[in-house]
Amino acid sequence: MSGPFAIDCRGLVKTFAGGSVRALDGVSLSIRENEFFTLLGPSGCGKTTLLRLIAGFEQQDAGEIDLHGERLDHLPPYKRPVNTVFQSYAVFPHLTVAENVAFGLEMKRLPRADIAARVMAMLTLVKLDGLGSRRPTQLSGGQQQRVALARALATAPKVLLLDEPLSALDLKLRTDMQIELKRLQSEVGITFVFVTHDQHEALTMSDRIAVMNHGRVLQIGTPEDVYERPTSRFVADFIGETNLLAAEPAGPGLFRLAGGDILQAEPAAASAIAVTLGIRPERAELCASAEGILRGRVEHISYMGTDTTYHLRLTDSGLFRVRTQNRDGALVRVRLGDAVGVRFPPAAVRLLDE
Amino acid sequence: MKPALRRAVLLGPATLWIGLFLVLPLTLMAYVSTLERGPSGGVLWDRHSADAYLQFLFERDLMDRLVLNTDYLHIFARSILLAGVTTLLTLAVGFPTALWMAFQSERLRLVLVFVVTVPFWTNILVRNYAWMLILRTGGTLDWLLTALHLPGPPLEILYTPWATGIGLTYSFLPYMILPIFVSLEKIDRRLIEAAYDLGADRWRVLARVILPLTAPGLAGGAILVFIPGLGAFISPELLGGAKSMMIGGLIQQQFGQSRNWPFGAALAFVLLAMVLLALWAHALRYRRERADE
Amino acid sequence: MRADALWRFPGARSVALAAVAFLYLPIVVLVLLSFSDGDSLAEWSGVSLRWYREVFDNADMQRAIRNSLVVACTATLLATVAATMAALVLARGQFRGKRAMEALLGLPLVVPEIVGGIAILMFFVLVGIRLGIVSIVLAHTVFVTPFAYLPIRARLDGLNPAFAEAAADLYAGPVRAFLRVTLPLIWPGIAAGAMLAFIGSLGDVVVSYFVSGPGATTLPVYIFSMVRMGVTPMVNAVSSLLLFISLALLTVSYLLGRRYASN
C-alpha cells in the first residue's frame, strides 16, 4: 500500500552514550491514517526511543520522519502537530484538571470561550465531567490517565503517541482502559501510535503491530499475522508460547529433527542448511504413542483453569508443550510419566528466521 | 537556540561571578605570596622572593642570619590539634545523637532535623559571643556553680584553648550530626532485622552492620568539621585569647597590625592547600568505596 | 526483647537530649540576658527592653542594620538568579565540563572564609574597587551562591523530566514552558535557596570583616568590633535580634518545605 501515510519513517538511527548504545538501528516503517498502530517489544528494544523521535524529544542521528508527507525532523516538539500521553502521565501538579486540559489550547492562543467549550467537551469524552476544578493530586491513577488523554487530545493532534500508558494501572483497570482507548480512537478518528511490552495489550487493541528487538523492526502485520505467521524465532517466542525445534531440510517440504523424526511443513522449504521450526502448543494435540508424529513422556502438567499444558520430554530429549482446552473434561486422560504421541497439521509448522 | 549556546548563556553569570571574584582573587593570592613586602605594607609587584615561605620556619636575627623559629609551626600544630579534638568530640556526641534521631517516628525526625539545623544556620558570631557570656569570670557558669554551692568558681576558662575547643565543638556539632543522620536514615531497616534474626545482639548489630553502613556519613561529618575547624577565625578570636591563636588569626594579623601581605597570602595558601588535600583524600576514599559496590 | 527495643541503643537518648540542650543553652542564655535591665553583661537584674531601645536609638547601629539588609537583599537576588540559571543547565543532560562547573559552584563552600576574605580584599585593592557596600555585595554574592544553588538543584533533580517535555509537546516554546511549568514546580526550591542565601549573607562576619570599609560596615562586623573593643549589654540585644531574624526565616523555609514535601 502506498500513502497517504500518517507517519513515514525511513532508516532511523539513534545512538546514546556517545555512540556506544544503538537504540535504533535503521528503522523504517509506515503508519497509515486513523490506524491503531502498536510498537511491541521487550524493554530496551528501542520502541520508546522511536516514539520520542516522532514527538521531537530526541533528535535522530540519521534517517527521516514524514508526517502526512511533510518532513517533521527539524521541528522542535512544540511545533509538531503530534501529542504524547506519557508513561508517568506528567499531569501538571500545580494546575487543576481543567487547566491541564486547557494548556495546549492556551499555548496555541485560542480564544478563551473556545478553550472553555473544548475543555468541557474533552472532559466529557474521557468521562471526567465535574472534576475540572480538582487538583491532580486528588485523583486516582486511572483518573490522572484520563486527564493526560484529554489534555493530549484537546488540540486535535494529527497523531497521538502513547508511551506505555497503561503500565502503571492494575489489571482490572488496565482491561477497562484498553476498551476505552479503542472507543476513543474510533470516536476521535486520530492515528494512535501505542508503545507497549505487553503482548496481550498489543494483540487486543492494535490494527497493526510492529515487533521490535535490539533497535530493529522484525515484523509488521495485523495481530493475526504476527501471532499465526511469525517469520522469526524472536517474534514467535516473544508473542505467545512456541515450541522451537532445530531441524535440517530433508527434501521438498520435509525436515529432519535432531532425533531423526521427519516433519512436514508448509510452505515449501528454503535451502537453508539448518532451520528452526515453530509449533504453537495449542495447535498440537496428544494422541496414542504409535499415532504421533513425535513421541515422548509427560514430565509435568500445569492446570490453568481454561486449559491445561502438558510438558513432554521427547525421545530425542527435547522439550515440547501441548495445550488443550478443558472442555467437558479432557478427551485424553494423561498422567505424569505416560508415554504419549503428539500430532499436528503441516500448516501448524512455521519456518522461522534466527 | 542551540543547546551549547543556551548552556553558555545560563551558566554564564554564576561562572563569571565565581571566576572573577573568587578564582581570580585566589590566583592573585598565590602570586602575592611570592612577592616581597613593601616597606610600609602592601607588596612590591616586581620583586619576587621566597621570604614569605621562609618566614614560616625561620626568622632573621640581628646579624641577618636565618634562625629556626617554631612560633608559627606551633600555631599550625595548635590549629590541627584543636580541629582534630573538635572532630573527635563532635563525633563522640554526634553519632549517638544521630543514632537516636534516626530511629524516631517520621514526624519526630523532621522536627529533630529542624531542631539541629537551627543552630547551624544561626549566626556563628552570636553563638560564640553567647559562650563568652557563659564562660567569662562571673558569667553564667560561675553563677550556676555558686548557686549550687559547687566548688570551682571563679573558673578561668575564657581566653584559653579550652574555651576555643568548646566554641568550635559547639559551632560544628550540627555539621557532624546531620550527615551521620542522613547515612543512618538511608540504611534499609530489613538489614538490621536480618542481623538480629541471624543471632547478633544489639552491640554486634551496631558494630557489624550499622557502623560500617554509616561510614560515608562519619567520613563526611569528619570532613565538614575538620576543614572549617582548621580555618576557624571567630571562635579563637572571641574565646581563645592571645595565647591560643590559630591559623585564621595569624592570617588576619598579617592584614592588620603586621601589614605583611606576602606572608599572609602564603599562610592562606598553605591553609587552602591543606583543605584541598583533605578533601582530595576524602574524595579518593569515597570514590573507591563507590567502585567497590 | 520487645520489638521496638530493637531500635534502641542504651545511652543514645541521653546523649541526644544532652546534645540538644548543649546546642540551645547558649542561645537561651543570650536571649534571657538581652532582656536584663542592668549594666552588667552577664548578670541578671530585672526584666526590661532597655537595651533593645538603645539599639534602635543608636545611629551607628541603625546604619549597620540598614547596610546588612541592603547587602543581604542584593546578594540574595543576584545569587538566586545566577544559581537558578546554572541549576537549569546542570540538572539536565551530560556535557563536557559539567563536573568542572559543578565543582566551581561548590568552590565557595570549600574555600575557608578567611582565605576567601583576604584573597578578595587583595583583589579589590589591586583593581581599585573602593571598600564599601558594593564590595561587600560582590563578595557575598560569591559566597552565598552555593547556598542558593543546592536546594534549587535538588528540586530540579527530583522533578520528572516529562513535565517539561509535556509542556513542549503541548506547543509551549522554551520560555513559556519555563514560566508556566518549570518555574512553578521548582518554586519551593528557589524560595528555600533564596532564604538560605539571605541568612548566609546576613550572618557573615569573616568575609565582610575584610571587604567592608570605614563608614560602611554590616551589622555582624559592627557587633564583632563591639565585642572586641568593649562590650555593653546592647550587644546582647542586637545579637538576639539577629537570632530572631534567622529563626523566623528558617521557620518560614521549613514550613514551605513541609507544605511542598507532600506534593
Side-chain angles (χ1 to χ4, degrees), chain C residues 224-235:
Chain C
F224 188 51
S225 58
M226 279 179 84
V227 171
R228 298 215 301 179
M229 304 292 196
V231 204
T232 75
M234 203 157 68
V235 174

PDB file of all heavy atoms in Angstrom, chain C residues 224-235:
ATOM      1  N   PHE C 224      30.976  42.512  65.921  1.00  0.00           N
ATOM      2  CA  PHE C 224      32.305  41.929  66.117  1.00  0.00           C
ATOM      3  C   PHE C 224      33.256  42.966  66.719  1.00  0.00           C
ATOM      4  O   PHE C 224      33.973  42.690  67.691  1.00  0.00           O
ATOM      5  CB  PHE C 224      32.831  41.428  64.767  1.00  0.00           C
ATOM      6  CG  PHE C 224      34.107  40.641  64.839  1.00  0.00           C
ATOM      7  CD1 PHE C 224      34.226  39.571  65.720  1.00  0.00           C
ATOM      8  CD2 PHE C 224      35.175  40.946  64.019  1.00  0.00           C
ATOM      9  CE1 PHE C 224      35.401  38.834  65.780  1.00  0.00           C
ATOM     10  CE2 PHE C 224      36.356  40.218  64.075  1.00  0.00           C
ATOM     11  CZ  PHE C 224      36.463  39.157  64.961  1.00  0.00           C
ATOM     12  N   SER C 225      33.224  44.166  66.157  1.00  0.00           N
ATOM     13  CA  SER C 225      34.135  45.183  66.681  1.00  0.00           C
ATOM     14  C   SER C 225      33.706  45.607  68.084  1.00  0.00           C
ATOM     15  O   SER C 225      34.556  45.867  68.940  1.00  0.00           O
ATOM     16  CB  SER C 225      34.214  46.385  65.727  1.00  0.00           C
ATOM     17  OG  SER C 225      32.939  46.924  65.534  1.00  0.00           O
ATOM     18  N   MET C 226      32.407  45.667  68.340  1.00  0.00           N
ATOM     19  CA  MET C 226      31.937  45.992  69.686  1.00  0.00           C
ATOM     20  C   MET C 226      32.424  44.958  70.698  1.00  0.00           C
ATOM     21  O   MET C 226      32.877  45.296  71.795  1.00  0.00           O
ATOM     22  CB  MET C 226      30.417  46.033  69.727  1.00  0.00           C
ATOM     23  CG  MET C 226      29.804  47.322  69.232  1.00  0.00           C
ATOM     24  SD  MET C 226      28.004  47.232  69.316  1.00  0.00           S
ATOM     25  CE  MET C 226      27.723  47.690  71.007  1.00  0.00           C
ATOM     26  N   VAL C 227      32.299  43.679  70.307  1.00  0.00           N
ATOM     27  CA  VAL C 227      32.689  42.605  71.215  1.00  0.00           C
ATOM     28  C   VAL C 227      34.176  42.703  71.520  1.00  0.00           C
ATOM     29  O   VAL C 227      34.622  42.474  72.639  1.00  0.00           O
ATOM     30  CB  VAL C 227      32.366  41.230  70.610  1.00  0.00           C
ATOM     31  CG1 VAL C 227      32.964  40.109  71.451  1.00  0.00           C
ATOM     32  CG2 VAL C 227      30.874  41.044  70.500  1.00  0.00           C
ATOM     33  N   ARG C 228      34.968  43.070  70.504  1.00  0.00           N
ATOM     34  CA  ARG C 228      36.415  43.112  70.702  1.00  0.00           C
ATOM     35  C   ARG C 228      36.855  44.375  71.430  1.00  0.00           C
ATOM     36  O   ARG C 228      37.831  44.374  72.168  1.00  0.00           O
ATOM     37  CB  ARG C 228      37.128  43.000  69.361  1.00  0.00           C
ATOM     38  CG  ARG C 228      36.818  41.666  68.692  1.00  0.00           C
ATOM     39  CD  ARG C 228      37.973  41.144  67.927  1.00  0.00           C
ATOM     40  NE  ARG C 228      38.398  42.072  66.896  1.00  0.00           N
ATOM     41  CZ  ARG C 228      39.429  41.830  66.096  1.00  0.00           C
ATOM     42  NH1 ARG C 228      40.106  40.705  66.228  1.00  0.00           N
ATOM     43  NH2 ARG C 228      39.765  42.689  65.177  1.00  0.00           N
ATOM     44  N   MET C 229      36.156  45.482  71.194  1.00  0.00           N
ATOM     45  CA  MET C 229      36.547  46.742  71.819  1.00  0.00           C
ATOM     46  C   MET C 229      36.148  46.769  73.278  1.00  0.00           C
ATOM     47  O   MET C 229      36.924  47.027  74.178  1.00  0.00           O
ATOM     48  CB  MET C 229      35.873  47.919  71.105  1.00  0.00           C
ATOM     49  CG  MET C 229      36.142  47.989  69.639  1.00  0.00           C
ATOM     50  SD  MET C 229      37.837  48.371  69.272  1.00  0.00           S
ATOM     51  CE  MET C 229      37.685  48.837  67.571  1.00  0.00           C
ATOM     52  N   GLY C 230      34.909  46.557  73.542  1.00  0.00           N
ATOM     53  CA  GLY C 230      34.421  46.686  74.898  1.00  0.00           C
ATOM     54  C   GLY C 230      32.933  46.539  74.798  1.00  0.00           C
ATOM     55  O   GLY C 230      32.288  47.204  73.990  1.00  0.00           O
ATOM     56  N   VAL C 231      32.425  45.595  75.543  1.00  0.00           N
ATOM     57  CA  VAL C 231      31.043  45.193  75.306  1.00  0.00           C
ATOM     58  C   VAL C 231      30.104  45.946  76.239  1.00  0.00           C
ATOM     59  O   VAL C 231      30.381  46.126  77.407  1.00  0.00           O
ATOM     60  CB  VAL C 231      30.901  43.697  75.577  1.00  0.00           C
ATOM     61  CG1 VAL C 231      29.732  43.149  74.832  1.00  0.00           C
ATOM     62  CG2 VAL C 231      32.178  42.976  75.205  1.00  0.00           C
ATOM     63  N   THR C 232      28.972  46.351  75.691  1.00  0.00           N
ATOM     64  CA  THR C 232      27.870  46.785  76.547  1.00  0.00           C
ATOM     65  C   THR C 232      26.734  45.804  76.316  1.00  0.00           C
ATOM     66  O   THR C 232      26.723  45.097  75.310  1.00  0.00           O
ATOM     67  CB  THR C 232      27.391  48.198  76.171  1.00  0.00           C
ATOM     68  OG1 THR C 232      26.638  48.106  74.964  1.00  0.00           O
ATOM     69  CG2 THR C 232      28.550  49.162  76.004  1.00  0.00           C
ATOM     70  N   PRO C 233      25.772  45.736  77.224  1.00  0.00           N
ATOM     71  CA  PRO C 233      24.660  44.785  77.053  1.00  0.00           C
ATOM     72  C   PRO C 233      23.864  45.029  75.779  1.00  0.00           C
ATOM     73  O   PRO C 233      23.048  44.205  75.393  1.00  0.00           O
ATOM     74  CB  PRO C 233      23.798  45.027  78.292  1.00  0.00           C
ATOM     75  CG  PRO C 233      24.739  45.573  79.302  1.00  0.00           C
ATOM     76  CD  PRO C 233      25.717  46.410  78.535  1.00  0.00           C
ATOM     77  N   MET C 234      24.127  46.139  75.111  1.00  0.00           N
ATOM     78  CA  MET C 234      23.474  46.378  73.833  1.00  0.00           C
ATOM     79  C   MET C 234      23.806  45.241  72.854  1.00  0.00           C
ATOM     80  O   MET C 234      22.980  44.875  72.026  1.00  0.00           O
ATOM     81  CB  MET C 234      23.971  47.699  73.254  1.00  0.00           C
ATOM     82  CG  MET C 234      23.021  48.314  72.282  1.00  0.00           C
ATOM     83  SD  MET C 234      23.284  50.073  72.123  1.00  0.00           S
ATOM     84  CE  MET C 234      24.841  50.152  71.331  1.00  0.00           C
ATOM     85  N   VAL C 235      25.003  44.690  72.992  1.00  0.00           N
ATOM     86  CA  VAL C 235      25.394  43.580  72.110  1.00  0.00           C
ATOM     87  C   VAL C 235      24.456  42.394  72.306  1.00  0.00           C
ATOM     88  O   VAL C 235      24.059  41.728  71.341  1.00  0.00           O
ATOM     89  CB  VAL C 235      26.852  43.152  72.380  1.00  0.00           C
ATOM     90  CG1 VAL C 235      27.204  41.922  71.570  1.00  0.00           C
ATOM     91  CG2 VAL C 235      27.801  44.284  72.052  1.00  0.00           C
TER      92      VAL C 235
END
